[in-house]
């Protein structure tokens, strides 16, 4: 048996099977790569020519982890999460989507909630419906497929990051009242703050 990666088109490497075998496992190949394979038979007086070239593709392995980029575009009920894709050499198969998981930090008993970006292969998203002024643990992974598009391959999780939602912001309404005084006094600006004050500011 001789084989090599299709893209190089150079002399194929040789691997011998025993006389009784009709199969052979080739080790040390790369994931999700095309290989050209040919086989010939040996007899006591010599060997045949190589048979027709067969093109095979190894299966995709799990992709490496994305990298989450810390960002500050958060508000009291949502987090903005952004990430970079795995390095090209670590992205195995065809990328289908990213999956984002999150939960309140230091709550190991709580299961992760799942979110998907739109488009599915995008590199950022808002996670909404969260508690205000709360730390969350967030992680991301890439999901791909190999030759069989119906079989999805989960990539490695990124290292988790901990981010916090903002405190609620007060609703401020300014009421302007102008007084006309014959002595020429200036107008007076009266301001009134309405609504709930944030948890970190009660003054």
């Amino acid at each position: 048996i001789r084989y090599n990666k299709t893209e190089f088109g150079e002399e194929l490497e040789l691997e011998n099977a025993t006389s009784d075998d009709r199969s052979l496992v080739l080790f040390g190949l790369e994931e999700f790569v095309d290989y050209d394979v040919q086989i010939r038979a040996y007899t006591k007086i010599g060997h045949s020519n190589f048979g027709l070239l067969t093109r095979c593709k190894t299966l995709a392995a799990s992709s490496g982890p994305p990298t989450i980029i810390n960002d500050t575009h958060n508000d009291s009920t949502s987090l903005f999460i952004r990430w970079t894709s795995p390095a090209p050499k670590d992205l195995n198969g065809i990328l289908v989507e990213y999956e984002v998981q999150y939960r309140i930090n230091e709550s190991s008993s709580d299961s992760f909630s799942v979110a998907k970006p739109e488009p599915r292969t995008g590199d950022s998203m808002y996670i909404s419906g969260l508690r205000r002024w709360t730390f969350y643990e967030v992680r991301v992974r890439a999901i791909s497929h190999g030759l069989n598009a119906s079989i999805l391959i989960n990539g490695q999780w990124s290292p988790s990051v901990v981010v916090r939602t903002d405190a609620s912001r007060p609703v401020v309404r300014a009421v302007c009242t102008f007084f006309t005084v014959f002595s020429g006094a200036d107008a007076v600006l009266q301001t009134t703050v309405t609504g709930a004050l944030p948890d970190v500011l009660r003054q």
Side-chain angles (χ1 to χ4, degrees), residues 52-66:
L52 295 176
L53 184 146
T54 300
R55 183 156 295 171
C56 308
K57 196 181 194 78
T58 52
L59 296 177
S62 296
S63 294

Side-chain angles (χ1 to χ4, degrees), residues 1-200:
I1 296 175
R2 65 180 184 181
Y3 64 96
N4 204 351
K5 288 194 286 189
T6 299
E7 60 182 299
F8 292 111
E10 53 193 36
E11 182 64 27
L12 283 73
E13 300 180 45
L14 294 174
E15 185 82 26
N16 291 324
T18 65
S19 59
D20 297 329
D21 288 339
R22 290 180 179 268
S23 65
L24 179 69
V25 178
L26 300 176
F27 294 96
L29 306 182
E30 298 179 28
E31 302 97 347
F32 207 61
V33 170
D34 288 310
Y35 283 87
D36 291 336
V37 180
Q38 289 180 296
I39 302 173
R40 68 182 174 185
Y42 277 87
T43 68
K44 293 181 179 180
I45 61 173
H47 57 74
S48 67
N49 294 326
F50 277 103
L52 295 176
L53 184 146
T54 300
R55 183 156 295 171
C56 308
K57 196 181 194 78
T58 52
L59 296 177
S62 296
S63 294
T67 301
I68 297 180
I69 303 171
N70 288 328
D71 219 305
T72 56
H73 301 296
N74 305 328
D75 59 32
S76 60
T77 60
S78 67
L79 296 172
F80 181 72
I81 304 299
R82 189 159 56 97
W83 57 88
T84 58
S85 64
K89 66 181 179 63
D90 296 327
L91 183 58
N92 295 316
I94 299 172
L95 178 64
V96 176
E97 62 183 4
Y98 288 100
E99 179 177 276
V100 179
Q101 289 191 350
Y102 62 95
R103 67 181 176 187
I104 294 177
N105 190 40
E106 297 182 349
S107 59
S108 56
S109 60
D110 291 347
S111 59
F112 281 94
S113 297
V114 178
K116 301 287 182 69
E118 288 294 342
R120 291 295 183 92
T121 56
D123 60 1
S124 65
M125 71 171 299
Y126 274 98
I127 303 173
S128 57
L130 307 179
R131 299 181 187 178
R132 66 183 183 181
W133 201 240
T134 301
F135 285 101
Y136 283 86
E137 176 188 357
V138 182
R139 62 185 187 179
V140 183
R141 69 179 174 186
I143 298 177
S144 59
H145 71 72
L147 295 177
N148 188 340
S150 65
I151 300 177
L152 299 181
I153 304 168
N154 294 327
Q156 301 173 35
W157 287 109
S158 68
S160 294
V161 299
V162 176
V163 287
R164 184 173 63 185
T165 54
D166 283 348
S168 57
R169 294 187 175 90
V171 178
V172 179
R173 180 179 297 122
V175 180
C176 300
T177 305
F178 292 90
F179 298 92
T180 302
V181 182
F182 289 106
S183 60
D186 293 332
V188 177
L189 174 65
Q190 173 185 334
T191 62
T192 303
V193 176
T194 63
L197 289 175
D199 299 338
V200 294

